[in-house]
Amino acid sequence: METLIEELKTTHQKTLQETDTQLSLTLESLESAVEFVSAMSEDEEMMFQILKEWESSLHQEKRDITIKKSQKDYHRVLSKVGKHLVSIPSNEIPFLTSKKLEKELMDQLIAEHLYRIGDFELGDQFLKESGSTIPEGFRGLMVKMHKILGQLYERDISSALNWVHQTLQIRDKDSVNEKEVKKNKNKKESKKGTEIKKGMEIKKEMEIKKEMEIKKKEEEIEIEIEMEMEIEKDKEEKEKEKNKIGKETNNTQQQQILKKTHSFEFRLHKAFYLNLLLNNELKEAINYSRKWFKQFASTHMKEIKQLAGCLVYSNGFAKRRFPELFNGSVWLQLHSEFREIYCLVAGIPSHSPLELLCQAGESAVSVLKKVSGLIPINTGDELPMEIPVDNNFKFHSSFICPVSKERSTQKNPPVLLKCGHVISKSSMKTLIEGGKTKFKCPYCPVITNSQIDCIEIKF
Amino acid sequence: MNLQKSLIQPCFEQLSRRLHKQYSLLNKTLTASFKILYSLPKNQNVGSDKIVEQMKKEIERLSKLQKDLNNYSKDDQLIIKKMQLRLQYHLSLLQVTQKNKTKNEEENENQEENKQEKDKDKEIKKENEIKEEKNMDKEKDKHIEIEKEKYMNIEENIDKEKKKENGNEKEKEKEKEQENEKDTKFFQDQIKLRKLELNRKLTEYMFRKGYNKTGTMLTERHQFLKQLVDQSLFLQGKKVSVSLSKHNLSIPLKWCLINRSKLKKIDSRFEFQLKKQQFIEIMRKGNRKEAINYARKNFPPWVGKCFSEIKSVMGLLAFPTPNEQSSIPNEEKEPFEILPERYQLLYGEHSWRKLNELFTREHVVLFGLSESPSIEVEFKAGICAVKTASCHSLHKKNQNNQQKITEHGTEKGKKMGKKKKNKKDSVLKGFDLFKEKKNINTNDNNDVVDRNTNCPTCHPIVNKIAKNYPRNLITHSLIICPLSGQIMTPDNPPMIFPNGNAYSLDEMKKMAEQNNGIVTDIKTNQKFKFTQLRKAFIV
């Protein structure tokens, strides 16, 4: 393609030059003829002779035909380019064409993306023109984030520190509240349990009476009632699970947030301290470190030691000893870390989902195109082939049993064997078939006891 | 390769149209003027003054032609430059994606070696670390460069404005040369290229949907965007679509005439749809004769392809038009309502909307672009690549719980009624069986709730879109530590608690060091000893 376009360029220039020269030559000859004719205006015979000669020379030179030829050359090359373009297959992937309700959603996503970049003017204009809206509060969140980021670019950590302290306070309060809420929940559950027990007792009395009367019906009713009890137990279990999972995720998130904000705060102080060192304000650096580094002694001792060591060097030797601390990379890390933490605390993704998915889609498009031509792709559950994807785009755990190649679910969880290998529960059941309790791991000859040694794993 | 088509074909189409115009102009003037010139010596009776006059006229004409052609070809040259720039851009994008592919392949190979040989593992690890550090440094340098260049760009813009005010041609030429060099350097910088590509797609989306102000704002903010996006194409298309929304068919019909040969290549029926609409408009006024004549003239060439549609439209003749009164006396309904639905639709706004949609699609396909904006296509392809089953589990789990409860209430009684033999055994067995049956009844959507706020498909808006698209097939296990967010590898395997939860070895080591060998399960706040944890080997 490159060569074609180069050729196009050169032929275009050639034709341009050709036509230009030919036209100018004709014009010259015309003008000279005009001069002659006007000079010979009296003698008509001479005039016509000159004209005839001039006309025959024009015929011989055939300037108009050469012009047309050169234009046709250019046309030929251009049509070559056109044919090449037509031979490239079209871009369409049938099952990815747009559907009705997607327009508004796409507009919302794009607006979010524009706000994340920090271009609020553009985002507002876009929302005006498209007429869509985004969830409240998102814009405000992004405005705050960019304010703090702007200050960080100028190496000012005050607003970032404020934000950190605020979030830590809120999280502390939350954790206190959660403990109270947990206590209340336990009380409620115990109350429910007693109520259900009473109900069960009453029902049992009824059952006994009925049993005395009719035997066949008794059995059925018993079974029904027992099933109802079990339904209620099930309900309780599910609610507990919901609460558990909600608690679990909340717990892990809280822990993560606390840890990360803690270390982020440390890095803020570290960056400021290094700045002070850069400017040779040693006393102030020491005072600053005394004020702020105590709380991080348990978690970040190594780094503090290194930072303290920098004091020993004077007049720029610290830069040579620890180049990575003084070259500005500390601040760059801060920027990206701040983004991540801010978004984690707010509960939104740290990168624009539009950007991430478009990046992932770049390589996916070609694969999908190839396959959609061969196999019809259902928009149902799963693709028939795997799109190779970078590890950056993997956010969820998934376990594939090496024996059955099935994905594990809550109902078919992975199971840890004695030897440390992991297979899915269904494959384990097939190995136990026939009422066995012990079986060999498919990978190593270690024998596992299915009832004692196995643990179901929750990834 | 596909991007190449959508980038370059619009330029090509532009060039070919210009060539046609240019050539016809040239042809006309050349033949006309040379005719006159050749005929001059033959008119012997004409006076010399008149001959001189004619010759001067031809001089004027030919010099005008020369000027016009020169101006034309300057613009042509700009378009060819644009083509070259776009091709360069496309090739550099390809390089970037290929580099990433080779990187991934190298990484995969390294991982396989690690599995096979243990001693070499550590060496390779060290090398990788050094490589990663180098890459990190490079990326950091790039970040620093980006910051610097932000300020630099502002200065450059000020300089450019000053130069424009001066307006010397030589300086402009020099600038262009410098810019060309800068182009190549710019296109070699990965991060900038990626950003530019995203912005290009965004601007294309804006112009396609008609958000022209935001589109122009975007082009002003980023270099090269004006040359990479075909703003004029979409603006041209807007004219036609505006006239369609005003129910005016003259401009679209002209457009069809101009592009007839190309529309044929795509096998489009847009022209027929326009004529059908014209027929409907004539019928709306009530002129049946005129309508029949129009149909006789215009429909026959389309009989081969669109016969069924022609039939249905001609059916309108049988019914009263919206303005006519019904011929049936004492009819309470309005004449329009007697028509069956599909005919009412023909008269309504719906058909105009369809026309508009059809036009926007065909107009874009003519120039080699894809029907839907490229950002949408890539975005959805990304969804297919990134989406996992656990992205939807939060929402679907609640639904399934409700279903379960209702299913329990209705179905259990029937099934259990049949099993009467041994009360306890049957009950327990039946319950187990019923549980297993639940597996068959319910979908695979009872997945582990694995929340990750960073996952783009779990974002509520994306989730709604993603429901309609399939998820990626996963062939290898991938476990992520809930604490550190890192992918667990054979060197950092999952450690399994007695209650079933799993965390990475590194995190557990850290925790154990800080807490005298005791590790807490964060999800349940239970405490265990580090020695109670069991290593899991994921194949």
Side-chain angles (χ1 to χ4, degrees):
Chain A
M1 194 68 204
E2 267 184 320
T3 50
L4 271 178
I5 295 182
E6 289 262 356
E7 210 187 321
L8 187 72
K9 198 177 181 184
T10 47
T11 45
H12 181 77
Q13 274 181 348
K14 264 190 195 175
T15 51
L16 179 65
Q17 277 176 2
E18 272 278 338
T19 47
D20 208 31
T21 48
Q22 293 293 333
L23 277 175
S24 39
L25 284 173
T26 47
L27 281 172
E28 272 181 32
S29 65
L30 246 187
E31 280 171 9
S32 57
V34 166
E35 277 182 29
F36 269 123
V37 168
S38 52
M40 290 285 157
S41 56
E42 297 154 5
D43 193 351
E44 284 199 7
E45 283 187 22
M46 277 298 287
M47 193 178 75
F48 279 110
Q49 263 193 5
I50 291 170
L51 273 179
K52 272 189 186 174
E53 284 175 14
W54 178 76
E55 190 217 332
S56 57
S57 67
L58 253 192
H59 264 297
Q60 278 178 1
E61 281 158 4
K62 293 186 182 176
R63 298 240 160 93
D64 54 342
I65 295 173
T66 45
I67 291 174
K68 288 182 191 176
K69 263 191 186 177
S70 59
Q71 290 282 333
K72 280 184 183 173
D73 281 341
Y74 171 61
H75 182 31
R76 187 174 44 89
V77 177
L78 193 63
S79 54
K80 259 197 212 174
V81 173
K83 278 184 189 173
H84 183 86
L85 282 171
V86 165
S87 67
I88 300 175
S90 75
N91 293 329
E92 300 306 323
I93 303 177
F95 78 105
L96 288 184
T97 49
S98 37
K99 292 165 187 165
K100 283 182 191 175
L101 297 172
E102 286 175 353
K103 194 218 167 202
E104 298 164 14
L105 297 170
M106 282 299 292
D107 285 348
Q108 283 182 358
L109 272 177
I110 291 176
E112 275 197 34
H113 173 78
L114 290 173
Y115 283 140
R116 266 179 200 273
I117 292 179
D119 206 337
F120 297 101
E121 198 191 330
L122 196 60
D124 293 334
Q125 176 70 26
F126 175 74
L127 284 178
K128 257 195 213 176
E129 271 196 293
S130 64
S132 54
T133 52
I134 52 168
E136 287 179 34
F138 186 80
R139 191 180 191 280
L141 272 180
M142 289 294 118
V143 169
K144 267 192 199 175
M145 186 176 94
H146 280 282
K147 267 190 192 173
I148 301 178
L149 263 180
Q151 283 201 350
L152 279 178
Y153 280 132
E154 295 168 17
R155 310 208 165 181
D156 180 6
I157 64 167
S158 49
S159 48
L161 262 183
N162 282 336
W163 177 80
V164 166
H165 291 313
Q166 270 179 17
T167 47
L168 284 174
Q169 276 179 9
I170 293 171
R171 293 286 146 170
D172 282 337
K173 279 185 192 172
D174 273 351
S175 59
V176 167
N177 282 337
E178 270 193 24
K179 284 178 187 171
E180 292 178 5
V181 167
K182 277 184 199 175
K183 286 181 190 172
N184 289 334
K185 275 187 184 174
N186 285 330
K187 285 181 189 172
K188 281 183 189 173
E189 284 171 359
S190 58
K191 277 185 190 173
K192 276 187 189 173
T194 50
E195 284 176 5
I196 292 164
K197 279 181 190 171
K198 283 182 188 173
M200 280 157 61
E201 286 172 5
I202 296 167
K203 285 178 185 174
K204 276 185 181 173
E205 289 174 9
M206 296 285 289
E207 289 163 33
I208 294 164
K209 284 184 188 174
K210 287 183 182 177
E211 271 186 51
M212 299 296 281
E213 296 170 0
I214 308 165
K215 284 187 182 177
K216 287 185 184 179
K217 288 184 185 178
E218 284 165 22
E219 291 178 353
E220 289 175 27
I221 294 164
E222 252 192 337
I223 292 158
E224 279 180 29
I225 294 165
E226 282 178 341
M227 292 310 291
E228 282 177 14
M229 279 156 45
E230 280 161 349
I231 294 166
E232 287 173 355
K233 275 187 194 172
D234 249 17
K235 278 189 196 176
E236 278 181 34
E237 281 176 16
K238 279 169 213 159
E239 283 181 13
K240 278 186 189 174
E241 275 180 37
K242 266 193 206 176
N243 289 336
K244 257 193 202 175
I245 286 159
K247 279 183 207 169
E248 283 173 8
T249 48
N250 275 337
N251 268 338
T252 45
Q253 273 191 357
Q254 292 276 15
Q255 289 277 349
Q256 270 190 345
I257 290 170
L258 284 174
K259 252 196 186 181
K260 284 190 178 175
T261 42
H262 190 70
S263 51
F264 175 67
E265 195 185 346
F266 172 69
R267 267 176 232 136
L268 277 176
H269 293 305
K270 175 179 166 182
F272 193 74
Y273 172 85
L274 286 169
N275 225 14
L276 289 173
L277 282 184
L278 255 183
N279 301 331
N280 275 325
E281 297 169 10
L282 288 176
K283 277 190 185 175
E284 292 178 13
I286 295 172
N287 289 332
Y288 191 81
S289 59
R290 278 184 185 157
K291 192 179 173 189
W292 289 106
F293 282 177
K294 273 187 201 174
Q295 38 181 308
F296 304 104
S298 50
T299 44
H300 297 272
M301 200 49 184
K302 275 187 189 174
E303 292 190 52
I304 295 175
K305 283 182 186 173
Q306 205 185 44
L307 292 174
C310 290
L311 286 170
V312 174
Y313 299 91
S314 63
N315 283 338
F317 279 100
K319 284 187 205 172
R320 285 194 210 171
R321 177 67 182 85
F322 302 111
E324 67 274 7
L325 289 180
F326 290 98
N327 64 358
S329 60
V330 181
W331 288 99
L332 289 170
Q333 275 178 0
L334 267 185
H335 301 326
S336 48
E337 216 186 319
F338 171 69
R339 258 186 211 258
E340 277 181 37
I341 291 180
Y342 188 89
C343 293
L344 187 66
V345 167
I348 52 179
S350 53
H351 292 282
S352 158
L354 187 78
E355 198 175 337
L356 272 180
L357 287 173
C358 282
Q359 245 189 347
E362 271 173 18
S363 45
V365 166
S366 47
V367 176
L368 281 173
K369 235 224 115 201
K370 273 187 208 171
V371 176
S372 62
L374 302 169
I375 318 172
I377 298 185
N378 287 326
T379 57
D381 272 336
E382 224 173 28
L383 288 172
M385 76 293 163
E386 184 177 12
I387 301 176
V389 147
D390 226 11
N391 278 339
N392 300 337
F393 300 108
K394 312 227 166 160
F395 299 95
H396 294 281
S397 305
S398 49
F399 177 74
I400 310 290
C401 172
V403 175
S404 55
K405 306 292 179 190
E406 282 174 347
R407 193 173 49 85
S408 63
T409 65
Q410 243 181 14
K411 297 296 173 182
N412 183 18
V415 164
L416 179 71
L417 306 177
K418 194 173 186 181
C419 49
H421 287 123
V422 186
I423 58 175
S424 67
K425 198 170 187 181
S426 53
S427 352
M428 192 185 81
K429 280 182 186 170
T430 49
L431 287 171
I432 320 176
E433 248 175 2
K436 301 182 208 167
T437 52
K438 296 188 183 178
F439 62 95
K440 265 192 201 175
C441 164
Y443 282 94
C444 58
V446 172
I447 298 178
T448 316
N449 188 324
S450 64
Q451 284 163 2
I452 301 174
D453 299 324
C454 297
I455 311 176
E456 289 181 17
I457 310 179
K458 302 167 199 169
F459 280 127
Chain B
M1 284 299 282
N2 293 329
L3 184 62
Q4 191 180 58
K5 182 166 179 164
S6 57
L7 279 178
I8 294 178
Q9 190 149 354
C11 298
F12 163 75
E13 295 289 330
Q14 260 186 316
L15 278 176
S16 62
R17 278 160 210 236
R18 292 175 68 89
L19 176 64
H20 279 300
K21 271 190 197 175
Q22 205 175 347
Y23 191 73
S24 59
L25 174 74
L26 191 134
N27 218 356
K28 270 187 197 174
T29 46
L30 269 184
T31 46
S33 54
F34 270 77
K35 237 191 185 180
I36 293 174
L37 287 176
Y38 288 150
S39 67
L40 276 178
K42 296 171 188 174
N43 304 333
Q44 295 206 348
N45 298 323
V46 178
S48 60
D49 293 338
K50 281 192 180 177
I51 291 178
V52 170
E53 268 182 46
Q54 276 185 345
M55 290 174 91
K56 282 189 180 175
K57 270 189 190 175
E58 293 316 306
I59 290 176
E60 271 184 42
R61 205 196 253 184
L62 285 176
S63 51
K64 199 188 173 192
L65 179 68
Q66 198 183 29
K67 273 187 191 175
D68 286 342
L69 283 179
N70 277 332
N71 287 334
Y72 239 74
S73 41
K74 274 185 191 175
D75 289 339
D76 279 352
Q77 277 176 356
L78 285 176
I79 296 175
I80 294 180
K81 268 192 186 178
K82 216 204 301 186
M83 262 170 116
Q84 279 186 323
L85 180 81
R86 287 187 184 193
L87 188 68
Q88 214 181 25
Y89 172 76
H90 169 69
L91 286 174
S92 41
L93 265 184
L94 268 184
Q95 272 183 10
V96 163
T97 48
Q98 277 173 7
K99 269 186 197 175
N100 283 335
K101 275 185 190 174
T102 49
K103 262 190 197 175
N104 282 338
E105 286 170 5
E106 284 175 11
E107 284 178 10
N108 286 335
E109 284 174 12
N110 281 335
Q111 282 180 11
E112 285 174 10
E113 286 175 7
N114 280 334
K115 283 176 190 172
Q116 289 170 8
E117 299 167 358
K118 291 185 182 178
D119 290 331
K120 289 186 182 179
D121 284 354
K122 293 180 185 176
E123 291 176 14
I124 295 167
K125 240 208 273 178
K126 283 181 188 174
E127 283 176 20
N128 284 336
E129 282 176 357
I130 296 166
K131 277 183 191 175
E132 283 173 10
E133 282 178 6
K134 283 184 186 174
N135 284 335
M136 273 295 285
D137 290 336
K138 281 183 192 173
E139 286 175 9
K140 284 173 200 172
D141 291 338
K142 280 179 189 173
H143 278 294
I144 298 166
E145 277 181 33
I146 290 169
E147 283 189 344
K148 281 185 192 172
E149 288 201 40
K150 275 186 190 174
Y151 293 106
M152 288 286 283
N153 279 334
I154 297 169
E155 289 177 15
E156 279 176 15
N157 285 333
I158 297 169
D159 283 339
K160 277 185 189 173
E161 285 174 13
K162 282 185 188 173
K163 281 183 184 175
K164 279 180 188 173
E165 287 173 4
N166 291 336
N168 285 328
E169 284 188 10
K170 284 186 183 178
E171 284 185 6
K172 279 183 185 176
E173 283 177 8
K174 279 186 187 177
E175 274 179 32
K176 280 180 188 176
E177 285 175 7
Q178 286 174 4
E179 277 177 20
N180 284 334
E181 287 174 3
K182 278 183 193 173
D183 293 354
T184 48
K185 281 184 189 175
F186 186 95
F187 289 161
Q188 284 167 7
D189 190 344
Q190 249 197 53
I191 299 175
K192 280 189 190 174
L193 249 192
R194 280 249 158 87
K195 277 192 184 175
L196 183 63
E197 175 65 14
L198 186 62
N199 284 319
R200 185 192 70 86
K201 282 181 234 167
L202 278 176
T203 40
E204 193 200 326
Y205 183 84
M206 304 292 178
F207 284 123
R208 272 202 204 223
K209 301 287 177 182
Y211 310 145
N212 292 325
K213 282 185 191 173
T214 31
T216 42
M217 275 173 86
L218 261 173
T219 51
E220 283 161 18
R221 281 162 208 270
H222 299 278
Q223 229 182 351
F224 302 121
L225 269 184
K226 274 190 183 171
Q227 292 177 310
L228 289 174
V229 177
D230 303 296
Q231 193 175 348
S232 52
L233 205 165
F234 297 113
L235 287 175
Q236 275 173 20
K238 221 194 171 183
K239 280 186 199 173
V240 176
S241 57
V242 160
S243 67
L244 275 178
S245 56
K246 291 182 184 172
H247 298 208
N248 180 3
L249 285 169
S250 53
I251 298 178
L253 280 168
K254 271 190 202 173
W255 183 86
C256 269
L257 269 179
I258 295 170
N259 296 310
R260 195 173 258 177
S261 55
K262 296 188 183 174
L263 285 170
K264 257 191 192 177
K265 279 186 194 173
I266 315 176
D267 196 22
S268 100
R269 303 182 185 187
F270 182 58
E271 198 179 341
F272 168 70
Q273 296 290 335
L274 284 175
K275 297 196 169 165
K276 182 177 152 188
Q277 191 64 35
Q278 183 78 300
F279 178 85
I280 293 171
E281 294 307 307
I282 299 173
M283 280 300 294
R284 205 193 292 268
K285 294 174 192 171
N287 300 332
R288 287 159 199 269
K289 275 192 183 177
E290 197 186 320
I292 294 172
N293 287 333
Y294 185 82
R296 277 189 184 147
K297 270 191 202 173
N298 292 296
F299 286 173
W302 299 98
V303 165
K305 290 181 191 173
C306 315
F307 190 47
S308 51
E309 280 196 60
I310 296 176
K311 275 198 266 182
S312 58
V313 166
M314 298 306 281
L316 281 179
L317 286 167
F319 295 96
T321 62
N323 301 325
E324 274 178 8
Q325 284 184 346
S326 155
S327 57
I328 304 171
N330 299 326
E331 188 62 55
E332 289 176 356
K333 282 187 193 173
E334 282 188 25
F336 190 58
E337 289 175 18
I338 300 171
L339 290 175
E341 257 199 63
R342 61 176 187 275
Y343 291 108
Q344 284 191 21
L345 277 177
L346 283 175
Y347 276 122
E349 189 62 37
H350 176 71
S351 49
W352 286 104
R353 250 182 278 151
K354 262 195 177 180
L355 262 182
N356 218 334
E357 282 170 24
L358 187 61
F359 169 71
T360 42
R361 259 185 281 147
E362 306 242 314
H363 170 68
V364 153
V365 169
L366 268 187
F367 286 88
L369 298 168
S370 53
E371 277 184 24
S372 34
S374 49
I375 199 172
E376 277 190 25
V377 174
E378 281 203 14
F379 176 74
K380 288 175 205 173
I383 288 179
C384 294
V386 171
K387 177 177 151 180
T388 57
S390 32
C391 293
H392 280 307
S393 61
L394 275 176
H395 305 273
K396 281 190 177 174
K397 189 170 188 183
N398 295 329
Q399 287 176 19
N400 275 333
N401 275 332
Q402 290 168 9
Q403 283 176 6
K404 270 189 211 171
I405 292 166
T406 52
E407 280 173 10
H408 279 310
T410 51
E411 288 183 15
K412 264 193 178 178
K414 289 179 192 173
K415 287 185 183 176
M416 292 322 294
K418 293 175 186 174
K419 293 173 186 176
K420 296 176 191 177
K421 290 179 184 176
N422 297 317
K423 291 182 198 175
K424 287 186 185 176
D425 291 349
S426 64
V427 165
L428 286 173
K429 270 189 189 175
F431 197 68
D432 283 340
L433 280 173
F434 197 76
K435 271 189 183 173
E436 285 173 22
K437 280 186 184 176
K438 268 190 250 169
N439 285 332
I440 301 167
N441 285 335
T442 57
N443 296 326
D444 227 25
N445 297 317
N446 301 325
D447 291 309
V448 181
V449 178
D450 178 9
R451 232 184 193 175
N452 189 337
T453 43
N454 284 334
C455 172
T457 24
C458 293
H459 188 274
I461 299 177
V462 179
N463 215 330
K464 279 186 203 172
I465 302 177
K467 275 184 189 173
N468 296 324
Y469 297 101
R471 59 171 190 264
N472 200 356
L473 180 73
I474 307 175
T475 48
H476 295 286
S477 306
L478 184 110
I479 317 292
I480 298 177
C481 173
L483 274 177
S484 60
Q486 285 180 337
I487 298 175
M488 300 207 221
T489 61
D491 299 314
N492 184 15
M495 302 299 287
I496 317 294
F497 277 70
N499 62 11
N501 290 326
Y503 302 92
S504 62
L505 179 65
D506 292 344
E507 290 295 316
M508 291 295 102
K509 271 189 190 172
K510 276 187 201 173
M511 212 191 262
E513 277 171 26
Q514 291 172 357
N515 292 317
N516 287 327
I518 294 181
V519 289
T520 43
D521 179 5
I522 287 174
K523 293 180 186 175
T524 56
N525 276 329
Q526 290 171 312
K527 300 207 174 183
F528 299 94
K529 287 186 188 175
F530 184 76
T531 45
Q532 283 177 292
L533 302 177
R534 288 168 62 179
K535 242 191 208 182
F537 299 98
I538 308 284
V539 175

